[in-house]
Amino acid sequence: LFKENKFRENSVNINVLSKFAPKLFTYRIINEYPHNINSYTQGLEFYDNRLFESTGLRGKSALKEIEFKSGKVIRDLPIDDAYFAEGITLLDEKIYQLTWQSKIGFIYDLESFQLIDAFQYKKSVEGWGLCNDGNLIYKSDGTSKIWIIEPDTLEEIDYIQVTTNKSI
């Protein structure tokens, strides 16, 4: 607002909700494979017909490659006991892994499982799940926001506010 050469700023939040209810999808089980029931799975992704898993719990977190038809663990990289590992995604021959409340993520080389780098998330609340569309990484944090991460800088550049027809 402008009055007598004095500016005042005013802001208002506006929530826009759809008049349509979200479509509910169904599923059909087409096959079952063995899996270690003691694994506290937090992230699971198929990449190039290979299965990668991130397991959580402090002191038991790990990054694994699993032969999905037999359930045999091919590679098992324990994560430092200070971290509770969460979601993963694979992009450009790298594995990105979140931690739950530590606000840090790790990047590994796909073939060697060697730690390449770590990154911090500054805007989101926690680390939950990850996925990608081949260009950008998408991160959930336990809220109704899906954070968009630029893979080259690992910055949270924007977010998608998830809503239903009744609430945010």
Side-chain angles (χ1 to χ4, degrees):
L1 299 169
F2 180 75
K3 183 177 179 182
E4 299 175 8
N5 290 332
K6 293 183 182 177
F7 291 93
R8 256 187 3 198
E9 186 175 312
N10 193 4
S11 63
V12 176
N13 289 331
I14 299 172
N15 295 327
V16 179
L17 303 176
S18 175
K19 66 179 180 178
F20 304 105
K23 183 177 180 180
L24 298 178
F25 290 92
T26 61
Y27 63 92
R28 180 174 54 95
I29 297 173
I30 56 173
N31 213 335
E32 292 184 31
Y33 297 101
H35 184 264
N36 181 346
I37 62 170
N38 294 317
S39 289
Y40 194 58
T41 304
Q42 298 297 313
L44 200 62
E45 188 165 326
F46 277 96
Y47 182 86
D48 196 25
N49 206 31
R50 298 157 65 189
L51 180 62
F52 295 87
E53 178 180 28
S54 175
T55 60
L57 296 177
R58 281 190 178 76
K60 295 184 180 181
S61 292
L63 176 64
K64 300 176 183 183
E65 180 178 359
I66 300 168
E67 202 296 311
F68 71 91
K69 290 184 180 177
S70 68
K72 178 185 173 204
V73 176
I74 298 168
R75 294 188 284 179
D76 186 348
L77 177 66
I79 306 303
D80 187 284
D81 289 355
Y83 301 109
F84 187 120
E86 284 280 347
I88 57 169
T89 196
L90 290 86
L91 180 66
D92 296 331
E93 304 299 310
K94 296 176 187 164
I95 303 169
Y96 297 83
Q97 182 183 44
L98 298 177
T99 62
W100 178 33
Q101 297 176 322
S102 302
K103 295 182 95 55
I104 189 168
F106 301 111
I107 306 169
Y108 304 92
D109 177 78
L110 173 65
E111 295 309 323
S112 70
F113 261 39
Q114 293 294 311
L115 181 66
I116 297 171
D117 205 354
F119 63 99
Q120 298 213 344
Y121 21 102
K122 300 172 182 124
K123 299 177 184 176
S124 56
V125 178
E126 296 177 341
W128 284 40
L130 281 180
C131 67
N132 74 81
D133 64 5
N135 294 306
L136 296 170
I137 297 173
Y138 299 88
K139 174 186 174 292
S140 63
D141 70 349
T143 70
S144 59
K145 293 178 181 175
I146 304 295
W147 291 89
I148 302 169
I149 297 175
E150 205 294 316
D152 293 331
T153 65
L154 297 164
E155 292 292 322
E156 296 164 313
I157 57 174
D158 205 352
Y159 64 87
I160 301 164
Q161 181 71 55
V162 179
T163 63
T164 70
N165 62 318
K166 295 181 180 176
S167 68
I168 291 181

